Amino acid sequence: QECISQYTSTDGVSSSIDFNSLFRDCFVLELGAGAAGLPSMTLAKLCNSVRGDALIVASDGVDEIVNALKMNIAANGLDDCVEVRHVDWNDYTTTTEDKDLTRAQVLLSDAVKADTILFADCIYNEEGAIALSDTIRRLLNPEGNVIGVLPDFRVGIDFFESVMKLNGFLPTDVAISENETSNAFVCCGSSGKDYRLLWWKHTR
């Protein structure tokens, strides 16, 4: 599995992204974390070392994967730093009526919005693109940030970017570097060059 994670310096990630505004003392939610939850675990390591506090929640929508995610986070000694929740994107789509949201609200309350949402390489079709975009819109603080990793070529990626724009999210491409001394984000893995790192802000 590819490891797309983040490298930061004391002064922040880059001239356009500041670590403190994205993560320090923030509620950070990873969507589609899979069994690994690498972005959440990377962030937890950074916060534990030099970066300050953050409420970090790693989530997935498949029970078996959620259980594996809990075990992996515990195996890395981060279960006190990263909370794991079951979040099914289908619970937050525009086709879901309010009366059907009881289970979703118990799992992740609509009243508690994330300051920053993370996701990495978790779109495989247009249906998933719509579900992810709708979930982001429902669970993100209006002033919040979205950090996502997208592959260059896959069904649903272009559609996802279009839907995000329609929902009022303005994207910024973030430089990716394989040089660990750089202040940019680091991609580890043979095909890291085939991925893009984007940062979205809501503009409406």
Side-chain angles (χ1 to χ4, degrees):
Q1 179 179 346
E2 294 299 326
C3 171
I4 309 254
S5 61
Q6 170 188 26
Y7 176 86
T8 59
S9 71
T10 304
D11 297 325
V13 177
S14 71
S15 59
S16 60
I17 293 183
D18 174 67
F19 185 96
N20 291 335
S21 63
L22 286 173
F23 304 120
R24 186 183 291 276
D25 300 323
C26 292
F27 170 20
V28 182
L29 170 66
E30 181 181 359
L31 296 173
L38 289 171
S40 292
M41 289 200 286
T42 300
L43 178 59
K45 289 283 190 180
L46 290 169
C47 288
N48 284 347
S49 58
V50 296
R51 297 303 185 178
D53 294 329
L55 169 61
I56 304 170
V57 175
S59 69
D60 202 273
V62 179
D63 289 335
E64 292 81 1
I65 292 178
V66 170
N67 291 334
L69 177 59
K70 289 180 180 178
M71 290 189 292
N72 283 333
I73 287 175
N76 282 277
L78 294 170
D79 45 330
D80 289 335
C81 310
V82 180
E83 183 176 343
V84 177
R85 298 189 190 178
H86 182 287
V87 176
D88 187 340
W89 302 349
N90 293 317
D91 289 334
Y92 295 95
T93 60
T94 53
T95 58
T96 304
E97 297 182 9
D98 288 342
K99 65 183 178 61
D100 298 324
L101 284 175
T102 303
R103 179 169 176 270
Q105 288 172 336
V106 170
L107 296 169
L108 192 66
S109 173
D110 269 351
V112 180
K113 304 291 187 179
D115 299 300
T116 300
I117 288 180
L118 307 176
F119 70 89
D121 195 10
C122 54
I123 300 170
Y124 296 92
N125 52 51
E126 292 188 354
E127 290 78 8
I130 293 173
L132 176 57
S133 180
D134 284 346
T135 301
I136 289 170
R137 183 173 54 83
R138 291 289 295 273
L139 297 183
L140 184 68
N141 185 313
E143 303 299 322
N145 298 275
V146 181
I147 301 293
V149 176
L150 298 175
D152 281 341
F153 303 103
R154 186 179 294 155
V155 174
I157 297 300
D158 290 343
F159 188 70
F160 172 77
E161 294 187 74
S162 297
V163 172
M164 286 290 282
K165 288 181 180 178
L166 287 173
N167 285 339
F169 289 93
L170 179 66
T172 299
D173 283 285
V174 180
I176 294 178
S177 172
E178 295 182 359
N179 178 5
E180 294 190 4
T181 63
S182 167
N183 288 347
F185 283 77
V186 173
C187 279
C188 303
S190 59
S191 61
K193 65 181 183 302
D194 297 323
Y195 286 82
R196 291 177 296 131
L197 181 65
L198 291 98
W199 167 38
W200 287 268
K201 288 284 295 183
H202 201 264
T203 58
R204 294 179 184 171

